[in-house]
Amino acid sequence: MRISLSSAEIPHTWYNLSDELNSVSIWVDGAASLSLAEGNYDIYELVAAITADATFKYSAAYNAITGKVTLTNTNATGYTINFTQADSLGLSKALGFDADVEVGAGGSTTGTNVVNLNTLRSLFIYSSLSIANVITTEQNGFEPILDQIPVKTRPFEILHYTPYDTAPFSATLSDDEIKVFEISLKDQNGNLV
């Protein structure tokens, strides 16, 4: 038996920066330092929020020509920004940073990558069914994924998805019958949306 998704309409009601995506904090010298409120930020709102945070000893500036963020140490002491710390990964990646960096007093650091506030690029539809043909690199094994939906909408719009716009996908079921099943939406990192 095979199962496939024929269409989906999903309201885009998640935030681009949230606790679930580990995208609201940055650690400095091994401790939490920056903590933002969850929400949908554009880059200018985000750099203003970072600069306004009194516990984070850096100001943020966005360069529209390069698409990169620069963080400047506003303190008389040097610090190490822990961009690779688990709770910092989402926001660090969104800001274009991918490695820990030590910034001296009055010094600055610029992201190695461009800003990408589209923190949720794909929705994966997981099910409680026994599906035997989806192998992921994340788990190095079979995952009960019915389909992957690219996120091409802005917050508070409706995501309309018809798999026939791309290529239809069907999953092979291990069971001979379906009585009840549950579905869940997860992001590209396996976080529940």
Side-chain angles (χ1 to χ4, degrees):
M1 200 165 36
R2 301 182 74 68
I3 188 168
S4 64
L5 178 69
S6 62
S7 67
E9 293 183 356
I10 302 167
H12 186 152
T13 56
W14 55 87
Y15 295 134
N16 67 346
L17 300 181
S18 70
D19 286 327
E20 287 79 17
L21 298 173
N22 289 328
S23 59
V24 292
S25 64
I26 292 180
W27 285 43
V28 174
D29 286 340
S33 178
L34 173 68
S35 183
L36 300 172
E38 293 183 311
N40 287 307
Y41 292 82
D42 67 27
I43 188 58
Y44 299 105
E45 293 166 336
L46 182 55
V47 296
I50 291 170
T51 300
D53 189 299
T55 61
F56 192 60
K57 305 300 183 200
Y58 293 84
S59 63
Y62 173 68
N63 183 323
I65 294 170
T66 64
K68 295 182 178 185
V69 166
T70 298
L71 297 175
T72 302
N73 185 343
T74 59
N75 202 311
T77 305
Y79 299 100
T80 299
I81 306 175
N82 308 118
F83 289 122
T84 60
Q85 200 281 338
D87 290 337
S88 299
L89 283 176
L91 184 54
S92 299
K93 187 184 259 187
L95 291 172
F97 294 93
D98 57 9
D100 292 353
V101 63
E102 189 173 328
V103 182
S108 63
T109 183
T110 300
T112 54
N113 301 306
V114 297
V115 170
N116 182 0
L117 296 182
N118 185 16
T119 54
L120 202 152
R121 296 176 296 284
S122 294
L123 288 174
F124 289 85
I125 300 178
Y126 280 72
S127 79
S128 60
L129 298 169
S130 297
I131 299 175
N133 67 329
V134 180
I135 300 175
T136 65
T137 56
E138 181 91 11
Q139 299 295 326
N140 290 326
F142 292 103
E143 290 283 326
I145 298 173
L146 291 177
D147 213 333
Q148 173 186 357
I149 301 174
V151 177
K152 300 177 182 177
T153 55
R154 294 177 188 211
F156 311 115
E157 293 181 344
I158 300 292
L159 188 155
H160 298 278
Y161 178 68
T162 305
Y164 300 103
D165 293 342
T166 54
F169 175 80
S170 65
T172 304
L173 296 173
S174 310
D175 300 331
D176 292 336
E177 67 179 4
I178 300 172
K179 292 183 180 178
V180 174
F181 71 97
E182 296 177 356
I183 62 170
S184 60
L185 299 176
K186 297 184 180 183
D187 69 4
Q188 66 275 356
N189 299 315
N191 299 315
L192 186 64
V193 177

